Amino acid sequence: TCPASAHPADGEAVFDRANIEAATGTAVHWLTTERIDGRPHSIEEAVSLHGGDHDEVQYLSVQAWRSWESIAEYFPHPRQVEVELEKTFGEVRLTGHVDVLSEASTVRMCDFKTGRLTEDWESQLRGYAWLALQLYPGAESVWAATVQVRSETRAELWTRAM
């Protein structure tokens, strides 16, 4: 469960998100993005605020940070964390929350995945990429990384022509 999805919009369908895995993922996302933004916190503080399994939050946050360090050089300053992307077309509203974003001629995005599933997140990243190109008209392309904290980091590059 995406941490941003814990705050549904008015009228949005809500599913049961009250489970330890979701809380653990939320705590890891919060710890990681806060640290990227220069505001480190303790594992205890994250678990107190968001819940989750202490040992799993500790393990995954270390893994997330190691993954971030391997790609941080590709995200020039200024960096933004927990960025909401949104565009409305008539009655259709497309939204997303990317974990880390840097804006330049190439918009760079990073999305952390803490779950055990190794799904293909390309459609989600393509949606984020399209939204970013709408919101940053000076950008020529989008580079997006999915950090599957338990296993690997995967990156894609899309241009306006795609």
Side-chain angles (χ1 to χ4, degrees):
T1 300
C2 170
S5 69
H7 307 287
D10 291 339
E12 183 178 6
V14 179
F15 300 92
D16 178 22
R17 295 184 184 92
N19 64 62
I20 196 156
E21 292 84 6
T24 296
T26 298
V28 172
H29 272 85
W30 181 77
L31 275 169
T32 305
T33 57
E34 286 287 295
R35 188 172 178 190
I36 290 168
D37 211 26
R39 297 184 304 263
H41 298 277
S42 69
I43 304 298
E44 291 72 21
E45 187 177 0
V47 172
S48 174
L49 284 170
H50 302 286
D53 177 88
H54 181 279
D55 293 342
E56 191 80 347
V57 170
Q58 184 171 12
Y59 169 75
L60 290 174
S61 63
V62 168
Q63 294 300 104
W65 190 253
R66 286 182 182 155
S67 295
W68 170 250
E69 286 182 319
S70 75
I71 62 171
E73 68 184 277
Y74 301 107
F75 291 83
H77 289 280
R79 295 180 187 137
Q80 303 171 60
V81 296
E82 291 297 330
V83 179
E84 180 176 7
L85 304 172
E86 177 182 334
K87 186 80 174 171
T88 302
F89 304 92
E91 295 182 22
V92 176
R93 182 173 159 245
L94 184 59
T95 65
H97 288 82
V98 67
D99 294 326
V100 184
L101 184 140
S102 308
E103 178 194 355
S105 62
T106 296
V107 174
R108 296 171 184 267
M109 299 183 299
C110 175
D111 202 45
F112 291 94
K113 303 296 182 191
T114 59
R116 294 185 188 281
L117 298 177
T118 55
E119 296 179 29
D120 183 1
W121 303 104
E122 185 176 343
S123 295
Q124 180 186 17
L125 286 181
R126 281 184 178 270
Y128 287 176
W130 186 85
L131 282 167
L133 289 171
Q134 304 311 301
L135 298 171
Y136 300 100
E140 298 169 9
S141 58
V142 174
W143 184 86
T146 300
V147 176
Q148 293 176 335
V149 174
R150 295 175 188 272
S151 59
E152 64 185 84
T153 300
R154 185 174 139 199
E156 303 285 346
L157 176 68
W158 294 289
T159 64
R160 283 195 178 276
M162 295 177 84

